[in-house]
Amino acid sequence: MVIGFIIISGEAILVHRWLPGSRNLKKSVHLCLQGLALACGIFGIWTKFHGIDGVVANFYSLHSWMGLICVSLFGAQWMMGFLSFWHRAEVRMTRVRVLPWHIFLGLYTYGLAVATAETGLLEKLTFLQTRRNVYKSCPESMVVNSLGLGLAFLSGFVIFAAVSPKSHVPVNKPKCLSS
């Protein structure tokens, strides 16, 4: 789920910044990467619900409810993006009105995915420490804490790159020779 919703989705968000090529190429790569991220998330939820406990037994924590909201928002966002920007059924004016909301909800969902991953790391580490399987200052704790900090820094970089203004290289005008 971290690979799908944070790594691949982060790359998909940055496609409009770093990928050279036409606008249609960027849109198709963005759509495909977000679709792959959504498939990873659905697979992650399917593996969790495929266990013996069933569906309802897995919704006991903030992490699980945030994950459900995140996957739902991600799926709705992908479908809205497909219908509004790729499918070409909408007129240009509608796409222009929808774009700021698409960007906001996309970044919100990405931030929610990072927060959900952080709560999942905290939940897992807390369970391990309360069962006395892992001590508070052991290598496993350091790995989990490092992963959490890495996710926080990565999400900050992705969101900053997504909202920062695009830099345009000014075109130098030829100087007039005065005589």
Side-chain angles (χ1 to χ4, degrees), residues 155-178:
S155 68
F157 171 75
V158 168
I159 292 171
F160 176 75
V163 300
S164 64
K166 292 183 180 180
S167 61
H168 295 285
V169 178
V171 178
N172 292 335
K173 295 180 183 178
K175 295 181 181 180
C176 296
L177 296 175
S178 58

Side-chain angles (χ1 to χ4, degrees), residues 96-125:
V96 167
R97 276 187 255 135
V98 169
L99 183 62
W101 289 102
H102 180 72
I103 293 170
F104 168 74
L105 283 174
L107 291 176
Y108 176 77
T109 305
Y110 182 74
L112 183 62
V114 172
T116 302
E118 298 284 1
T119 59
L121 290 171
L122 182 63
E123 179 181 302
K124 185 66 172 176
L125 190 58

Side-chain angles (χ1 to χ4, degrees), residues 4-5 33-45 74:
F5 280 144
L33 285 175
Q34 294 290 32
L36 180 63
L38 182 59
C40 287
I42 290 171
F43 177 74
I45 286 182
F74 203 95

